[in-house]
Amino acid sequence: MSGPAAERTIVFVAHTGQVSGAEKVMLDLIDVAVGRGHRVRVVSPDGPLSGRLPAGVDHVVIPPLGLSGERGLARLAGGGRLVVDWIRAGRILRRVSRTADTSTIVNSLFALPAARIARPAGRISWLVHDTLSSGRQRAVIRISAPVIRRAVSVSEATAVPLAELGLPVVVAHNGVTWPVTALSTDLHDPPVVGMLALLTPWKGHAIALDAVAGLPGVELEFAGGSFPGDADHVAALHARAGGPDLAGRVRFLGHTDLRTALQRWDVVLSASVTPEAGPLSVLEAMAYGKPVIGTDHGGTTEFLRDGAGVLVPPSDPAALAGAISRVLDDAGLRRSLTAAARRRIADGHDKSTTLPRMLDELLSG
């Protein structure tokens, strides 16, 4: 890796104006870039993201670049609209990314085709927050590959399929605030398990509901918002939570302060049914000393292996229920999990170190 680049204009591109884990990482990188004296522009749809940009950072509006939970013929129509929106976004991006002193960083898979259309100066760096699990994702990458100069992956698991597709890829891990004071591992009465994740199907909230349904006396909380296109899914989650085996034991908290949520919970779940790249919610819970149970794939495996958490097969409510019971019933296990997790954060996921290195990797070469 070469050293940090000289001052330049950096254009960050996102496919959504919402703020979830990937956008939080981008906002942190923007702070580092501004602190180094770079000129920064953000190209994204309108939404909460634009309201969180630092003073002096320009926002350039593009259409939303993604499907919104459509099915059947509506999905085909949505795909047609997406192609049109890629073209529109590409033309807008071209106007702000073609000068020689500009570096373009694409923060999301579904913004890549817009970058292919824009053909930014020097091509692009892609910050990879998605572990490939579908043919649709691979098709987007193949379409966009000619403009990808370098892919910077947030976990080893995410890097492997990109290398297999022939992309030049390096790993720069996600990080969180460190040090922080550990929260108590004493159990609430009744005990509470929680998830901090958008209410979208692949995050596995339905699996968590089925798991806790078989654990009388255990309560479940979901913290996080949702996309408009997931309204039917959210309604189904509420309906399941109101069933006789769960009634009165499930709470939907909406957007909640991280530390406040973690203080309410005895165990944190990451139940994603497809692989996550490097989930910040897992790292944050580990930093605060909350025991984490996660599905055994993607970056979650890397975070929790070797005693830093408990790993279970994806889409397996019985295995998840067994793991919850084991952690809740064993105070010694909770202490060992949290001690190992906090060591892992200290050793490799302190964002005061990870973020500058990530930006260096995105700008180098």
Side-chain angles (χ1 to χ4, degrees):
M1 183 191 75
S2 62
E7 292 181 10
R8 64 180 79 184
T9 298
I10 303 175
V11 176
F12 288 88
V13 187
H15 81 290
T16 177
Q18 301 300 312
V19 179
S20 58
E23 292 73 41
K24 290 178 183 176
V25 175
M26 187 180 78
L27 287 166
D28 282 342
L29 287 170
I30 290 169
D31 286 340
V32 175
V34 170
R36 290 181 177 180
H38 297 303
R39 299 177 297 276
V40 176
R41 308 181 89 169
V42 173
V43 178
S44 75
D46 269 328
L49 177 63
S50 62
R52 294 179 58 172
L53 298 177
V57 172
D58 293 333
H59 180 230
V60 179
V61 179
I62 57 172
L65 302 177
L67 298 174
S68 301
E70 300 96 336
R71 297 290 185 269
L73 292 176
R75 188 174 186 84
L76 291 176
R81 288 194 300 272
L82 179 57
V83 171
V84 172
D85 288 338
W86 274 333
I87 294 170
R88 292 171 57 203
R91 289 172 176 168
I92 294 168
L93 178 57
R94 182 180 302 166
R95 294 198 293 267
V96 299
S97 64
R98 294 297 296 274
T99 57
D101 70 338
T102 299
S103 296
T104 302
I105 297 171
V106 174
N107 195 59
S108 46
L109 174 74
F110 281 98
L112 289 175
R116 170 69 191 273
I117 292 164
R119 300 188 305 277
R123 300 192 292 166
I124 68 162
S125 295
W126 173 28
L127 181 54
V128 188
H129 301 281
D130 301 282
T131 301
L132 300 190
S133 59
S134 73
R136 184 178 64 177
Q137 290 173 315
R138 289 177 172 83
V140 169
I141 292 170
R142 290 189 181 99
I143 290 168
S144 310
V147 296
I148 301 174
R149 179 183 61 83
R150 161 177 275 210
V152 177
S153 168
V154 299
S155 66
E156 282 82 3
T158 299
V160 169
L162 301 179
E164 291 172 349
L165 288 173
L167 292 182
V169 59
V170 297
V171 176
H173 291 106
N174 276 339
V176 292
T177 301
W178 183 262
V180 293
T181 302
L183 298 173
S184 173
T185 58
D186 293 338
L187 294 184
H188 295 84
D189 184 17
V192 183
V193 298
M195 284 181 61
L196 180 66
L198 281 169
L199 299 174
T200 198
W202 71 275
K203 289 289 189 178
H205 296 84
I207 305 300
L209 286 166
D210 287 344
V212 172
L215 300 173
V218 176
E219 299 188 347
L220 175 62
E221 294 187 342
F222 294 144
S226 62
F227 294 126
D230 287 326
D232 289 345
H233 172 68
V234 174
L237 293 178
H238 279 270
R240 177 69 183 93
D245 53 355
L246 283 168
R249 294 197 288 131
V250 181
R251 290 178 290 276
F252 294 80
L253 305 180
H255 292 288
T256 305
D257 173 73
L258 166 69
R259 195 173 187 280
T260 299
L262 293 176
Q263 285 178 315
R264 298 169 62 96
W265 300 341
D266 300 300
V267 178
V268 176
L269 307 181
S270 178
S272 300
V273 299
T274 57
E276 299 233 30
L280 288 180
S281 61
V282 171
L283 291 177
E284 289 163 338
M286 292 168 68
Y288 277 103
K290 288 294 180 178
V292 181
I293 301 170
T295 42
D296 192 2
H297 50 192
T300 305
T301 298
E302 295 173 24
F303 294 165
L304 299 182
R305 63 190 174 196
D306 301 325
V310 176
L311 291 163
V312 297
S315 303
D316 189 335
L320 182 56
I324 293 170
S325 291
R326 182 156 61 93
V327 174
L328 289 177
D329 292 344
D330 190 337
L333 175 59
R334 294 196 300 275
R335 287 192 295 269
S336 69
L337 291 173
T338 59
R342 281 170 62 82
R343 285 195 300 271
R344 180 150 298 159
I345 299 298
D347 291 344
H349 297 284
D350 177 349
K351 74 177 184 180
S352 68
T353 300
T354 61
L355 285 169
R357 178 174 181 266
M358 184 179 285
L359 187 62
D360 289 344
E361 293 287 6
L362 289 163
L363 297 178
S364 68

